[in-house]
Structures are given as structure tokens and as C-alpha cells.
Amino acid sequence: MTSATPHRTRADHKRQYREQPRRAGVYLIRNTVSGKVLLGSSMNLHGPLNRHRFMLDIGGHPNRALQEDWRRLGPDAFEFAIADIVTPQDEEAGPHEDELWLLEQVWIERTSPFGERGYNLHPRIRDA
């Protein structure tokens, strides 16, 4: 019996990815054992969480404390989540950087991701 849905090619997947609307927002990686978080933001949330997970999996994450906890506790001790998405005032223009900056400030205050409570090393949390 054959499937009615044809197999999608790699090119189909790439095209679908490129056509998805870009969403700006704040994400976090939470250590479910200690409660520590790494807070980040991006004008394009499609990639950062996958990039962080990949870097942790290969042992090459630049945040040494996060990498050490990942190695010691394993991936099941971490949760990756989009915390909030910018809702642009002008839907057609899309999100503006100042709207994302305001959202970042709310989440920095809410999570205090520095020192004992987090993995963030500086107040700038936006991905380049």
C-alpha cells in the first residue's frame, strides 16, 4: 500500500523554511535541576535554540558553565523554550528592534539570568 502523501525533498524543506515568517522574541534554556537559565533573544527565532542544542551536543558551546552542566546532567535536564514573541504594532512592517529590546528588559527582570540564577554573562542577550 502506498502513501497518498509524496515524500518531500530536501529542497522542499529548505523552501518551506525560507518561506516561514520571521518571528522576533525571547527564548530560554532552563536547567530543570538547578533552575538556572540562559536567556536569549533574536529577530529571527527559527535558529537560536537549535544552534544552542547543537553546540551543547558536540561539546562546543561557548558558555562553559552551561556546557559543563549539560555534560554532567545530560540533555534531559534541560528545557528549551520560546518565552515570548514580539507582537508588532504594524503587522505588515513586522517587529522592530526597539519592540524586541522592551521585551528583553521584561524577561531580564523576570528571570534575573545572571550570577547564581543564570548562565548569562552580560546584559546583552540578543543573538548577533
Side-chain angles (χ1 to χ4, degrees):
M1 185 170 163
T2 61
S3 172
T5 306
H7 274 22
R8 292 179 15 177
T9 66
R10 182 180 177 110
D12 291 334
H13 285 286
K14 283 183 177 181
R15 186 179 62 254
Q16 181 184 13
Y17 176 81
R18 282 192 306 268
E19 291 172 356
Q20 289 177 338
R22 301 294 183 232
R23 297 168 69 183
V26 175
Y27 63 87
L28 58 84
I29 300 169
R30 182 182 314 276
N31 178 327
T32 60
V33 175
S34 69
K36 288 178 77 169
V37 298
L38 176 71
L39 188 66
S41 73
S42 178
M43 288 298 290
N44 178 5
L45 285 173
H46 287 291
L49 290 173
N50 288 335
R51 185 180 72 250
H52 282 288
R53 183 181 295 276
F54 174 77
M55 295 300 289
L56 289 164
D57 282 343
I58 66 168
H61 199 282
N63 186 304
R64 291 181 184 177
L66 176 59
Q67 184 68 64
E68 175 56 26
D69 284 352
W70 180 273
R71 185 198 61 72
R72 187 172 47 82
L73 300 170
D76 291 341
F78 291 85
E79 146 187 298
F80 291 69
I82 293 175
D84 216 337
I85 295 173
V86 172
T87 304
Q89 292 179 353
D90 179 355
E91 287 292 328
E92 287 186 24
H96 292 281
E97 291 198 27
D98 57 337
E99 292 171 315
L100 180 55
W101 184 85
L102 290 171
L103 196 59
E104 291 168 353
Q105 302 317 301
V106 167
W107 279 92
I108 287 171
E109 187 174 318
R110 189 177 288 173
T111 61
S112 299
F114 308 104
E116 300 272 326
R117 295 185 62 187
Y119 295 105
N120 290 78
L121 302 174
H122 3 120
R124 179 165 163 60
I125 64 168
R126 186 160 321 163
D127 287 351

